[in-house]
Amino acid sequence: MVGAGPAGLAAALTLQKESVTCAVIDYRRENVFKPGESLAPGANFILDKLGLHKIAASGFHNAYVGNNVVWGGTTPHQRYFLNEPYGNGLHLNRVVFENQLLETAVERKITLFLTYQIKEITETPDKILLECFSPSGDFTTIEADFILDCSGRAGIVAKKTGVKRTALDNLVSYHFMIKQPETVLKGMTYIESVADGWWYMAPVNDGKMVVNFMSDSDLHQVKSELLQDWLRQKIRQTQHFSALIPENAFDTLVHSGIKTASTSLLDVPGGNRWMAAGDALCSYDPLTSFGITNALTGGYAAAKAITGLLNGDGTAATDYLSKQMALFNKSVVMLQNQYRQEQRWADLPFWKRRH
């Protein structure tokens, strides 16, 4: 596996359970903030499959009980997960969650190369070779029968093999983390559409809250040093978020940044001895809430496909990729339907592109 995120570690845990020897390669930066903290109820199924059910009860994550949405009108609408077969979701402490996945991999004795980067990938008639190096200059060559690219949007293996990526939009997340105001209902994700995008807010562990403004990068030329002041101004323009986030919110700022959030996919999903999973294969608009769940389920499904390949099932990889592409295409249709429900600004660039 290339990538020690949710997809890569889900795949490694699955292969280990299938008695397939594997290793995870990732130049990992520890405790780096990542937006993407809402884990929908359906993810409980895959957490159980991976033997990770204890994560929900670890005390590091909060229950995700429903959504409070202002979309297509000015009135908030609440939807709770009361009838979900898998119960509530989770608002993750993302750094802790990924560390928990990694700790599980260590406990299960999966080989990890967490300080190595891939310099070269060479395919021979019966093997694929990965030439890797560490920050200290140490080199090692890893021989494998197959590579699974789980390196997220970076698509490291895909790039090394000359495969390009197509983005269907240029959505970005302007995000920040602050201490949670008392006005915010615990367990709820908040969404509010505005003229040039939409806002998203979720409470996370330790009394903090993650806030995202989702819009297209070409609509806002924001310098990083001016991001906080710009976000303050943008919040004041909202109808509901402005009441939820106090004026002094940025006095408790923990983090802020800008991150790509586009819907995208590889032009070619794999090769003779490699294929991609999770965001490395296709990335989803955060409005779908597919991100982390897809990474976990995609990693699991890819590992099952690799097991099938190694056991002589010649259609295992193509079956896996066909299902992943079918899910991606279905999500694009669902996304279009969701965006079309907001018609108040149909003639403005952000919404016109999505109608």
Side-chain angles (χ1 to χ4, degrees):
M1 256 67 58
V2 178
L9 292 174
L13 294 173
T14 304
L15 288 171
Q16 190 258 2
K17 191 174 181 179
E18 297 284 339
S19 300
V20 176
T21 302
C22 65
V24 178
I25 307 166
D26 192 353
Y27 182 63
R28 189 170 186 268
R29 294 178 297 160
E30 292 188 17
N31 301 325
V32 176
F33 173 84
K34 293 181 181 179
E37 56 290 316
S38 292
L39 194 63
N44 290 324
F45 175 78
I46 189 62
L47 289 177
D48 284 342
K49 277 279 188 184
L50 295 170
L52 300 171
H53 52 277
K54 291 182 180 179
I55 284 179
S58 66
F60 292 106
H61 315 290
N62 295 341
Y64 171 23
V65 302
N67 298 313
N68 192 333
V69 181
V70 182
W71 195 281
T74 59
T75 304
H77 295 277
Q78 290 79 35
R79 177 181 176 270
Y80 295 93
F81 301 138
L82 298 176
N83 297 318
E84 288 287 340
Y86 301 111
N88 291 321
L90 290 174
H91 281 142
L92 298 173
N93 180 322
R94 184 68 182 272
V95 170
V96 170
F97 175 67
E98 297 205 6
N99 283 335
Q100 288 174 319
L101 292 179
L102 190 62
E103 288 164 6
T104 303
V106 172
E107 289 170 4
R108 298 183 190 177
K109 303 188 186 310
I110 292 169
T111 302
L112 303 170
F113 294 88
L114 295 183
T115 59
Y116 282 81
Q117 292 177 289
I118 297 173
K119 181 181 180 182
E120 199 72 43
I121 298 175
T122 306
E123 190 171 339
T124 70
D126 58 349
K127 293 284 182 183
I128 192 161
L129 308 176
L130 297 91
E131 186 178 336
C132 307
F133 68 96
S134 72
S136 61
D138 294 330
F139 280 83
T140 188
T141 299
I142 299 171
E143 292 187 6
D145 295 309
F146 203 87
I147 302 176
L148 185 62
D149 189 351
C150 300
S151 59
R153 294 171 186 268
I156 293 170
V157 177
K159 284 182 180 176
K160 293 286 185 184
T161 55
V163 175
K164 295 183 178 179
R165 191 176 193 89
T166 296
L168 305 188
D169 56 56
N170 53 354
L171 191 71
V172 294
S173 161
Y174 303 90
H175 57 269
F176 60 95
M177 179 185 282
I178 56 173
K179 288 188 177 178
Q180 183 178 327
E182 294 180 1
T183 52
V184 177
L185 180 64
K186 291 182 178 180
M188 296 293 284
T189 286
Y190 288 76
I191 296 173
E192 180 178 349
S193 57
V194 291
D196 53 352
W198 52 279
W199 287 86
Y200 161 92
M201 176 169 61
V204 292
N205 190 255
D206 296 333
K208 297 183 179 67
M209 181 173 68
V210 175
V211 184
N212 288 265
F213 174 55
M214 315 299 300
S215 189
D216 289 334
S217 58
D218 63 314
L219 299 180
H220 307 287
Q221 303 300 320
V222 187
K223 295 181 179 179
S224 57
E225 62 269 22
L226 302 176
L227 179 61
Q228 293 177 33
D229 288 336
W230 180 75
L231 285 168
R232 280 194 187 97
Q233 295 172 10
K234 296 294 291 182
I235 290 170
R236 294 191 191 107
Q237 297 168 15
T238 63
Q239 182 178 0
H240 294 276
F241 267 52
S242 57
L244 295 170
I245 302 176
E247 283 289 325
N248 65 348
F250 282 86
D251 293 345
T252 63
L253 184 72
V254 178
H255 173 89
S256 64
I258 304 172
K259 187 176 178 65
T260 298
S262 61
T263 300
S264 64
L265 73 163
L266 288 182
D267 293 352
V268 180
N272 185 39
R273 289 188 175 275
W274 74 276
M275 62 185 182
D279 279 355
L281 176 60
C282 52
S283 60
Y284 293 88
D285 186 314
L287 192 61
T288 65
S289 297
F290 278 9
I292 306 174
T293 303
N294 174 67
L296 294 169
T297 56
Y300 172 83
K304 287 287 190 179
I306 291 171
T307 302
L309 276 176
L310 296 177
N311 289 333
D313 182 354
T315 66
T318 54
D319 289 346
Y320 155 75
L321 292 170
S322 294
K323 290 177 182 177
Q324 292 297 303
M325 289 302 96
L327 177 63
F328 179 80
N329 292 333
K330 181 180 178 181
S331 78
V332 170
V333 173
M334 292 171 58
L335 193 63
Q336 290 172 337
N337 291 335
Q338 180 64 45
Y339 275 118
R340 284 171 185 157
Q341 291 179 27
E342 180 54 87
Q343 292 290 329
R344 288 177 290 172
W345 305 286
D347 293 332
L348 295 183
F350 179 85
W351 297 98
K352 191 173 184 178
R353 294 168 181 176
R354 290 163 171 80
H355 287 168

